[in-house]
Amino acid sequence: MTPASLLEHLETWYRQGKLRLLDISFARWCSRHDPAPTPELLLVTALVAYLEGRGHSCLDLDSLLLNTLTLGTELEAELAQVLTGLPRTLPVWQNTLYGSPCIRPPSSPVPSPLVLAENRLYLRRYWQYETALSQQIRQRTDPALWSLDALTNALPWLHALFPAHSEIHWQRVACALALRSPFTLITGGPGTGKTYTVARLLTVLLSQSARPEALRIALAAPTGKAAARLTESLQKALRELPSNLPAALDISTLIEQVGPARTLHSLLGQDWTTRQFRHDAAHPLDLDLLIVDEASMVDLKMMVALFDALPPRSRIVLLGDRDQLASVEAGAVLGDLCLHAEAGHYRPETATFLCALGEPPLPENLRDSKGSDLAQCRVMLRHSHRFGTAIGTLALAVNAGDVNSVTRLLKQETHSSLIWKECASPQEVVEVATRPTELSYGRFSRLLQTRPAASADFDAWALLLLQTLDQFRVLCALREGPWGVIELNRSIEQKLRAMGGLQPQGEWYEGRPVIITRNDADLSLANGDIGLTLRSPHPAQGLRVYFPDTARTLRARAPSRLNHVETAFALTVHKSQGSEFEHTCLVLPAPHPIVTRELIYTGITRARQRLTLLCADPNTLEVGLARPTQRTSGLKFES
């Protein structure tokens, strides 16, 4: 195959919509800057750009040559056909690619747009991100930084904060490991008590500080909704601390000292005109402890920026569910860091440390004399207080890819909290979403029609409306098409209007819920914030969009100032991360590459009490469960 014929293939794929303009443009650019471009160069340059757009940080050449590269599209078959005309051994490809001025090995002093590290090909910036993050994490997990005597004074507090347990108390283990290390990773599914654990960790850290009032603490999350939820759940956990503590603790002062969570962009002080952060290695954050929730949503670039901005002696605790959807941008950092979390890989010194805590001996399957430094700072919470329910059992089966168990659970009619239905039409989704007698938008619509006559009662009514709205949500896999967010939002609007609940007159109308899709520091609004459009109690102000504050007060914004919003009766599963709803209606289309095991799991685990699962095709679940998300990365820590 010649370079010209390969480029013709790429052009055809672009015209067919299988490659983006960015992908084909990068391949063209490399062909112009290489005096003798090869077919291999043109192919990998288009693919590495394509994969970056799908969340991968690099291209694995072994997977490419073995025809195991997961693209999730019909491009896979065409790619296999192209490869038949090219050499199929890695050494040949390495030699060929290193011959291009566009590609250099990591050790090369000559800059190049692409870096080939053994079998992994990177856009240079992503190689730099991975290298920097790997170094930062290794530094913070260095045993030389561990405080091995951390338990001496903290032990009474740990035993008071965590009730006696006959088995390993993983929440207490997480606290103990966080006491001795500047880096801690706590992963676990919904209901495993991640926030519960952090509330107790904060208590112990403050109890061990010589000047607890001077301890600088920050809470952060990727989105505004996730930050608000972290604030609410952490404050609740702090108020519910046991009374038998070794010393008195002023909970109100503790809550005030911790403060509300912020988005990562706000924490780092992003300048939206330059996209640069105010805080970096030269201007670090002024804090002693940083807690980041929903870490699965944090992409590689943001995680590097976060670690860059940490002061050398500060602590960082990452919380997240490794099985949820990864970040929208490139990288699956939490998934990479938790790759072997279930197997523990704790070294003998860690096992001894935990025995001193009073934990029973670690079972052999969690021990590893060669376990990595990272593994000694990582804890997987293994008991869910929610997963005894039908929804929880379903989530576990989905996570395991167990099609038979999933089907059996869905076909049982004994679960009032779990309903599964195959839909012939998207209108059936609308009917579920607007039923007046159930937890749905029908209830929200009725409440919307009870506007109080007195303006003094407006805030309480608006807060109740927002609370009712937040109890139910339609979640979709797609944005476009009959089963997507755009069409379903329009159909739900029309049905509520027919029911008399809404009176849409243009884009903005009373009762329109919206989600903020981009951070706006000027308006103090963050990506993921949910607001509700209502007529102001002051007639001259007209329509305003009301957002709840953590103090159960309202913030009003003029619709004309909201440039990045979407109607929020239906959301994508991606945008729902960091949220939970009493009743979740998960809508899955016919089999589609975007419907993966992680998307199904994430959608299911947004439901607290009730899940309605609506499928456009009976094969969607089986095909989706057989498609786990696999993002190529070089961020490996062995165990």
Side-chain angles (χ1 to χ4, degrees), residues 270-276 522:
Q270 185 169 44
D271 184 336
W272 293 103
T273 59
T274 64
R275 311 294 290 182
Q276 299 299 309
D522 292 338

Short mmCIF file of all heavy atoms in Angstrom, two decimals, residues 270-276 522:
data_model
loop_
_atom_site.label_atom_id
_atom_site.label_comp_id
_atom_site.label_asym_id
_atom_site.label_seq_id
_atom_site.Cartn_x
_atom_site.Cartn_y
_atom_site.Cartn_z
N GLN A 270 -9.58 29.23 37.55
CA GLN A 270 -9.42 29.31 36.11
C GLN A 270 -9.83 30.69 35.58
O GLN A 270 -10.88 31.23 35.94
CB GLN A 270 -10.23 28.24 35.39
CG GLN A 270 -9.99 28.23 33.89
CD GLN A 270 -10.57 27.02 33.21
OE1 GLN A 270 -11.69 26.62 33.48
NE2 GLN A 270 -9.81 26.41 32.31
N ASP A 271 -8.98 31.25 34.75
CA ASP A 271 -9.27 32.48 34.04
C ASP A 271 -9.93 32.10 32.73
O ASP A 271 -9.30 31.51 31.85
CB ASP A 271 -7.98 33.26 33.78
CG ASP A 271 -8.23 34.61 33.11
OD1 ASP A 271 -9.28 34.76 32.45
OD2 ASP A 271 -7.38 35.50 33.24
N TRP A 272 -11.21 32.45 32.57
CA TRP A 272 -11.97 31.96 31.41
C TRP A 272 -11.61 32.70 30.13
O TRP A 272 -12.01 32.30 29.04
CB TRP A 272 -13.46 32.06 31.69
CG TRP A 272 -13.84 31.11 32.77
CD1 TRP A 272 -14.10 31.39 34.07
CD2 TRP A 272 -13.94 29.69 32.65
NE1 TRP A 272 -14.35 30.24 34.77
CE2 TRP A 272 -14.27 29.18 33.92
CE3 TRP A 272 -13.78 28.79 31.59
CZ2 TRP A 272 -14.43 27.82 34.17
CZ3 TRP A 272 -13.95 27.44 31.83
CH2 TRP A 272 -14.28 26.97 33.11
N THR A 273 -10.83 33.76 30.23
CA THR A 273 -10.39 34.44 29.00
C THR A 273 -9.14 33.77 28.43
O THR A 273 -8.92 33.79 27.22
CB THR A 273 -10.09 35.92 29.29
OG1 THR A 273 -9.07 36.02 30.29
CG2 THR A 273 -11.35 36.63 29.78
N THR A 274 -8.30 33.19 29.32
CA THR A 274 -7.07 32.55 28.85
C THR A 274 -7.08 31.04 29.03
O THR A 274 -6.20 30.35 28.50
CB THR A 274 -5.86 33.10 29.63
OG1 THR A 274 -5.99 32.74 31.02
CG2 THR A 274 -5.79 34.62 29.51
N ARG A 275 -8.06 30.51 29.79
CA ARG A 275 -8.18 29.08 30.10
C ARG A 275 -7.05 28.61 31.02
O ARG A 275 -6.87 27.41 31.22
CB ARG A 275 -8.19 28.21 28.83
CG ARG A 275 -9.14 28.67 27.76
CD ARG A 275 -10.57 28.56 28.16
NE ARG A 275 -11.01 27.16 28.25
CZ ARG A 275 -12.26 26.80 28.55
NH1 ARG A 275 -13.16 27.73 28.80
NH2 ARG A 275 -12.58 25.53 28.63
N GLN A 276 -6.28 29.54 31.58
CA GLN A 276 -5.19 29.19 32.47
C GLN A 276 -5.67 29.21 33.92
O GLN A 276 -6.64 29.89 34.26
CB GLN A 276 -4.03 30.17 32.30
CG GLN A 276 -3.43 30.20 30.90
CD GLN A 276 -2.86 28.85 30.49
OE1 GLN A 276 -2.08 28.25 31.22
NE2 GLN A 276 -3.26 28.37 29.32
N ASP A 522 -18.54 34.64 36.75
CA ASP A 522 -19.19 35.94 36.95
C ASP A 522 -20.56 35.78 37.60
O ASP A 522 -20.99 36.64 38.36
CB ASP A 522 -19.33 36.67 35.62
CG ASP A 522 -17.99 37.11 35.06
OD1 ASP A 522 -17.04 37.23 35.85
OD2 ASP A 522 -17.89 37.31 33.83
#
